[in-house]
Amino acid sequence: MKISVIGLGYLGATHAVAMAKLGHSVIGIDNDPAKAEALNKGEIPFFEPGLSQALSEVISQGKVQFQSSHDENSASADIHFLCVGTPQSPDGSANTSYLYAAIEDLAPHLSQTALVVGKSTVPVGTAQELKNKLQSLVGFEPRIVWNPEFLREGTALEDSLKPDRIVIGYWHKEDSLPLLVAYEKLIKAGSPVVELDVPTAELVKVAANAFLATKVSFINAMAEVAEVVGADAVALSKAIGYDERIGNKFLRSGIGFGGGCLPKDIRGFIARAEELGVGQALSFLKEVDGINERRRQRVIELANKELGSLSGKNITVLGISFKPNSDDLRESPALEIARSLARAGAKVTVTDPKALHGLSDENLKPEPDTYTSLENAELVILATEWDEYKKLDPVQAKSKVANATIIDGRNVLDVSAWQAAGWKVIALGRTIRNG
Ligand code: UGA
């Protein structure tokens, strides 16, 4: 099939490559010409494991091309995927203006037979408004379905090529048929298709992210309690996770969730529910957000307690991306902690295997080499659980620092090995006896 993918951020770039890998002929469109040009050269503007190689492969097969506007070629696509961002507005709601701009650009090129597929995360009700808008622009009833995306950064390509479900919301069942053809290989390989109405499809995405955020904040709330009573949130998580109804995934306590999705999606969901007059139903999500913020603050308190005062103290933060295998700094709890420490007067060195290039903070000293970053540290904070930090040699690490104290913000270190090497280990949600 011929496919256009509109918007080439994390979602769109990955989706374009995935569609090309499925054998389709793909035209990626982004109104930033530099982005389209870079992608044509095989350059991905962010780090995503395996994506760069897959892009080079599909470029060399002539399966994908990128451009900054629609043309005759993209106008003849069977399917147009809307993959533009819906960032957070200052009032917390989702900003859907890029979607409307994308619809306006597409309208003059849209044929009556082409299918428009919404993939962006939107406030419930947006698809209907977009459809109305598009209809007013083109003068016929456009074919639109809503097909939310559930990919995770770090495993984005794999998630796109092996989705755990394909959710399709439609007004007319026949509109979903071209999409089923486009995804035929995925469906044959076993991905279940969930067909539903459009508002439910829109809700599935934000509900899933709200649930995931709630799970993380739930275990972090337990960590707050555990800290007071001398209990262990990691052991607690394991123990409750054996219950299959609870499950052990997404129950890792630590400095909390970040990224371009979970924080903005729960705030957008709250804002939309308030607009719809059902704000009370989602008021618990404000607490989910609040618990998440408090975990970051807890690290600052622990650092303060440990060092007496933060002013002038050398602190090294291991990891600044919002999660491992990503260079995304959006709403990163790790980066926020580093910034707070610097604001409180600490001399903060940060290191990260992939994300340092995105750092624009003059108050943070970037150091690409992990062991060098530890030199003279009076306190080390493990903030993002990259493999190389999990595998750090505590003996070698100790030889670099001025004071061997580490806060394990992700509960991933082998505490006894670190203690045996002479470290004081402090963790979130756990009371660790040192020395
Ligand atoms: C999230 C969802 O997991 C995807 O399903 C969704 O498609 C995506 O948002 C999106 O809306 O586009 P992502 O933002 O890539 O994916 O990251 P997650 O893997 O969900 O992690 C989010 C944050 O939660 C990270 O900061 C991570 O460190 C934290 N986390 C995760 C925990 O603190 N504890 C856990 O147990 C799990």
Side-chain angles (χ1 to χ4, degrees):
M1 292 176 100
K2 190 188 273 191
I3 276 165
S4 96
V5 176
I6 301 165
L8 297 171
Y10 281 92
L11 166 58
T14 308
H15 191 64
V17 173
M19 289 296 100
K21 275 199 75 96
L22 290 179
H24 303 300
S25 178
V26 180
I27 304 143
I29 300 163
D30 194 293
N31 54 16
D32 176 356
K35 199 183 266 180
E37 206 176 303
L39 284 163
N40 274 327
K41 288 192 216 140
E43 292 161 15
I44 308 242
F46 51 88
F47 172 69
E48 182 58 48
L51 193 58
S52 202
Q53 201 189 337
L55 173 62
S56 308
E57 210 176 283
V58 289
I59 288 177
S60 66
Q61 293 164 350
K63 286 277 173 212
V64 65
Q65 68 189 69
F66 301 96
Q67 54 200 48
S68 57
S69 56
H70 291 275
D71 60 8
E72 270 179 22
N73 190 20
S74 66
S76 64
D78 304 295
I79 301 182
H80 301 283
F81 284 100
L82 300 174
C83 294
V84 298
T86 50
Q88 186 180 317
S89 302
D91 67 356
S93 64
N95 172 0
T96 53
S97 64
Y98 299 106
L99 271 169
Y100 285 94
I103 288 281
E104 283 185 21
D105 288 345
L106 172 64
H109 307 274
L110 185 67
S111 75
Q112 291 216 22
T113 52
L115 175 67
V116 178
V117 178
K119 289 195 80 66
S120 309
T121 303
V122 291
V124 57
T126 304
Q128 179 71 62
E129 288 167 19
L130 283 171
K131 187 182 180 208
N132 296 347
K133 172 82 187 168
L134 192 53
Q135 184 156 349
S136 73
L137 292 169
V138 295
F140 56 84
E141 187 186 354
R143 303 177 75 189
I144 297 196
V145 301
W146 214 260
N147 167 228
E149 181 57 60
F150 304 100
L151 61 80
R152 296 159 297 173
E153 289 181 26
T155 50
L157 189 59
E158 203 184 313
D159 290 347
S160 304
L161 292 171
K162 254 189 181 182
D164 50 17
R165 77 282 210 194
I166 296 169
V167 172
I168 308 177
Y170 52 72
W171 285 280
H172 308 294
K173 185 174 173 57
E174 61 273 21
D175 290 342
S176 67
L177 300 179
L179 192 57
L180 295 176
V181 176
Y183 290 157
E184 195 179 1
K185 283 188 186 163
L186 307 178
I187 298 165
K188 278 197 174 146
S191 293
V193 177
V194 186
E195 296 182 33
L196 23 75
D197 58 84
V198 174
T200 308
E202 291 170 306
L203 271 178
V204 168
K205 174 59 191 268
V206 282
N209 276 359
F211 191 83
L212 291 171
T214 304
K215 240 186 143 181
V216 174
S217 276
F218 177 84
I219 199 62
N220 282 334
M222 296 304 109
E224 282 189 39
V225 176
E227 278 159 14
V228 175
V229 297
D232 185 324
V234 175
L236 172 77
S237 168
K238 200 171 163 197
I240 63 172
Y242 279 113
D243 183 331
E244 283 178 6
R245 294 168 304 171
I246 296 171
N248 58 11
K249 293 191 180 131
F250 244 75
L251 267 188
R252 284 176 281 115
S253 58
I255 61 173
F257 60 82
C261 302
L262 262 44
K264 100 168 160 65
D265 287 355
I266 58 169
R267 291 174 201 145
F269 202 11
I270 295 167
R272 185 62 176 151
E274 282 169 358
E275 273 168 30
L276 295 168
V278 283
Q280 205 183 354
L282 296 190
S283 63
F284 74 96
L285 286 179
K286 291 185 185 163
E287 194 51 36
V288 165
D289 206 3
I291 294 164
N292 199 45
E293 295 293 327
R294 286 206 294 277
R295 288 289 80 188
R296 302 171 186 194
Q297 196 46 44
R298 173 72 180 153
V299 176
I300 309 301
E301 283 163 22
L302 287 169
N304 219 335
K305 194 169 149 217
E306 196 48 39
L307 297 171
S309 112
L310 294 173
S311 183
K313 298 286 163 44
N314 293 321
I315 302 179
T316 298
V317 177
L318 299 173
I320 53 164
S321 59
F322 85 105
K323 70 182 215 182
N325 294 319
S326 166
D327 62 356
D328 199 341
L329 295 177
R330 288 176 296 171
E331 295 263 355
S332 167
L335 181 57
E336 198 38 60
I337 286 167
R339 283 178 176 152
S340 298
L341 293 167
R343 275 197 298 273
K347 290 191 228 150
V348 183
T349 302
V350 292
T351 188
D352 192 286
K354 294 287 174 194
L356 289 182
H357 69 93
L359 194 67
S360 56
D361 266 272
E362 282 171 12
N363 295 333
L364 303 177
K365 184 175 163 234
E367 170 49 60
D369 182 74
T370 310
Y371 286 103
T372 310
S373 78
L374 296 173
E375 277 168 13
N376 300 321
E378 291 159 273
L379 175 68
V380 179
I381 299 173
L382 193 160
T384 311
E385 70 278 29
W386 286 92
D387 263 352
E388 61 185 89
Y389 305 147
K390 291 199 257 181
K391 289 184 197 147
L392 265 182
D393 174 4
V395 176
Q396 197 183 341
K398 185 165 184 284
S399 72
K400 303 285 178 190
V401 297
N403 177 40
T405 300
I406 186 162
I407 299 178
D408 182 358
R410 294 292 186 174
N411 284 318
V412 287
L413 293 180
D414 178 345
V415 173
S416 39
W418 280 71
Q419 286 179 326
W423 285 79
K424 175 175 182 182
V425 181
I426 303 167
L428 273 84
R430 310 171 82 181
T431 310
I432 293 175
R433 278 181 191 78
N434 288 285

